[in-house]
Amino acid sequence: MTTTSWDPELYRAFDDHRSRPFLDLLARVGETDPALTRVVDAGCGPGHLTGLLARRWPTATVEAFDSSPDMVAAARAAGVDATQVDVRDWTPPRDTGVLVTNAVLQWVPEHPDVLRRWMASLAPGAWIAVQVPGNFDAPSHVLTREVATLPQWRDRILLRGTETVLDPLGYADILAAAGADVDAWETTYLQRLDGDDPILRWISGTALRPVRDALDDDAYDAFVRELAPRLRAAYPPSADGGTWFPFRRVFAVARTR
């Protein structure tokens, strides 16, 4: 997470699709205390969703941070008072009432331990809401890993596989063991993408970022030329020209006791 570069504009290119899981996650947080002190957006990205927290809890202090300097700069440009911090180095202040981490922890291999540490720092009655992509066994990611193992790239690119995230039961066990009431689930969104090579464009903003960082311009262009036809074959367009992209997401919301 600390070595992956980000392009805020590319990330926001599919804003509606990326926002929906955040909204579904937030809907399951039951905090209604008007005296709520602090709400945290851990891994705020370009800050385009942080404002929803401020509107939901208008009297609370909303704290936002991200490990990417580019994302922090974009969030600040959007009016969010964001800071650059790695989730691995951050501890929730004791007065945190709601902690939201949306599509962040998949970049942190040791994030189960991070969650345990966060839970130990939260006061009774605090809420934590977690969402991670659960599509690492989807063709989009399997094919990317296959191309990365070709001789010309296998010594330069290291991509993690399905061990990247847990299933809902795995997160439920971690949060319940820390002494919390837990609601965990998964959803597969069937997203309609348009245009040429829409799957490639989608993963260019997320899954391909470590590949982009590992390769120079020419090598990355060659990687994309190898990957693109494989993605087209795996995700053919429908009769109306759109491309359906199933995207599994894993959610967990917990309230400490």
Side-chain angles (χ1 to χ4, degrees):
M1 185 171 166
T2 53
T3 58
T4 301
S5 66
W6 290 94
D7 183 334
E9 290 302 321
L10 184 59
Y11 184 85
R12 284 194 297 252
F14 297 93
D15 192 24
D16 288 346
H17 292 307
R18 299 197 195 282
S19 299
R20 184 177 174 187
F22 183 91
L23 298 173
D24 290 347
L25 178 69
L26 203 60
R28 303 292 274 268
V29 177
E31 180 59 70
T32 59
D33 185 359
L36 189 67
T37 302
R38 185 185 305 271
V39 175
V40 179
D41 189 355
C44 63
H48 60 307
L49 298 174
T50 307
L52 297 176
L53 303 179
R55 288 196 288 274
R56 172 82 181 268
W57 295 286
T59 64
T61 296
V62 176
E63 177 180 333
F65 66 88
D66 200 280
S67 68
S68 164
D70 294 326
M71 287 296 200
V72 169
R76 289 175 177 170
V80 176
D81 186 17
T83 57
Q84 185 180 346
V85 181
D86 193 307
V87 296
R88 289 169 288 199
D89 301 326
W90 179 80
T91 299
R94 190 65 174 173
D95 64 349
T96 300
V98 176
L99 166 55
V100 178
T101 178
N102 182 66
V104 175
L105 296 181
Q106 73 273 15
W107 298 104
V108 183
E110 67 274 27
H111 74 261
D113 291 332
V114 171
L115 284 174
R116 293 183 184 98
R117 179 169 56 80
W118 286 358
M119 292 296 289
S121 299
L122 293 171
W127 292 80
I128 182 169
V130 177
Q131 187 272 123
V132 291
N135 65 332
F136 292 92
D137 59 352
S140 56
H141 287 61
V142 172
L143 292 172
T144 300
R145 292 195 297 271
E146 286 181 0
V147 174
T149 62
L150 293 177
Q152 60 268 47
W153 294 301
R154 64 188 175 201
D155 294 331
R156 304 168 66 182
I157 302 170
L158 177 62
L159 299 176
R160 297 173 64 219
T162 55
E163 79 285 355
T164 300
V165 299
L166 306 179
D167 61 11
L169 178 59
Y171 292 110
D173 282 342
I174 289 173
L175 298 173
D181 298 317
V182 183
D183 178 14
W185 72 98
E186 65 179 69
T187 299
T188 297
Y189 298 93
L190 189 58
Q191 301 176 165
R192 187 185 189 280
L193 306 180
D194 297 305
D196 296 331
D197 288 322
I199 310 303
L200 178 64
R201 288 189 296 112
W202 172 278
I203 66 173
S204 293
T206 53
L208 285 183
R209 300 311 299 175
V211 177
R212 187 66 188 92
D213 289 343
L215 303 177
D216 60 30
D217 291 347
D218 290 341
Y220 181 72
D221 289 345
F223 187 98
V224 168
R225 287 195 300 271
E226 184 72 37
L227 177 61
R230 300 176 187 229
L231 292 175
R232 291 186 208 114
Y235 298 94
S238 59
D240 67 354
T243 300
W244 293 109
F245 183 46
F247 200 124
R248 175 176 174 259
R249 302 274 187 157
V250 177
F251 302 80
V253 172
R255 188 171 189 262
T256 59
R257 294 196 297 266

